[in-house]
Amino acid sequence: MSGLAPSASAADTAPATLTFATDSATTTPGGTVRLSMTLTNNKTHDVWFAHQTIEPTWLTTQRPDLTYGFTGCSLATATGSAPCSGTGPANLGANYGTTVPPGQSRTVTLTLQVAPDSGCNGNIGFYSYYYAEFSDTTSTSGGPVFTPETRVLCA
């Protein structure tokens, strides 16, 4: 007796996904780069709660001459950008706003500020883990999800 292999379908899609983008692959000491994070609800129930962390990659931590920090955060809304509820390495999930309906996404943008006295010729990168709860009482987690690296150049 032979059987059929299951086919790929929407059910194979992760219940929620987290993706990253930057507005620039390079910057210079004193410059800024915007790091956008998009949480997408692939399920048929609302995302009620999200928790997300963001940490520098191991290679980034090995360059103590690279000096940087997150200086701003905004949430994209239908009426424009709104300030986030907080900035930092933990609890970023709260910044995605309240409910994320099925099939919709929320994008949060962090501003990465490189210090004027930062070292050069190094890459700054981050990784993230996330957890989401849905209105049907299920949950999902994912990660690590890596950001694009930003190269700090000197003129």
Side-chain angles (χ1 to χ4, degrees):
M1 186 165 135
S2 65
L4 297 174
S7 63
S9 68
D12 296 330
T13 302
T17 55
L18 181 66
T19 56
F20 288 95
T22 58
D23 68 346
S24 177
T26 61
T27 191
T28 56
T32 60
V33 174
R34 282 178 273 301
L35 172 64
S36 296
M37 309 174 296
T38 301
L39 178 69
T40 302
N41 180 358
N42 299 319
K43 210 167 167 172
T44 57
H45 292 69
D46 293 340
V47 170
W48 273 0
F49 172 80
H51 176 79
Q52 179 190 344
T53 62
I54 189 164
E55 299 289 337
T57 61
W58 183 82
L59 287 175
T60 298
T61 65
Q62 299 309 296
R63 290 286 306 269
D65 62 322
L66 294 175
T67 310
Y68 57 87
F70 292 120
T71 59
C73 182
S74 63
L75 170 66
T77 70
T79 58
S81 292
C84 291
S85 61
T87 305
N91 298 318
L92 285 166
N95 293 327
Y96 289 101
T98 54
T99 306
V100 181
Q104 292 191 20
S105 300
R106 295 285 188 273
T107 299
V108 169
T109 301
L110 296 175
T111 302
L112 177 67
Q113 175 72 51
V114 178
D117 61 351
S118 178
C120 298
N121 300 316
N123 293 334
I124 299 173
F126 301 92
Y127 67 94
S128 187
Y129 288 93
Y130 68 94
Y131 169 82
E133 290 181 358
F134 298 90
S135 61
D136 66 349
T137 70
T138 61
S139 64
T140 189
S141 59
V145 181
F146 290 90
T147 68
E149 291 186 333
T150 298
R151 184 121 178 115
V152 179
L153 303 173
C154 282

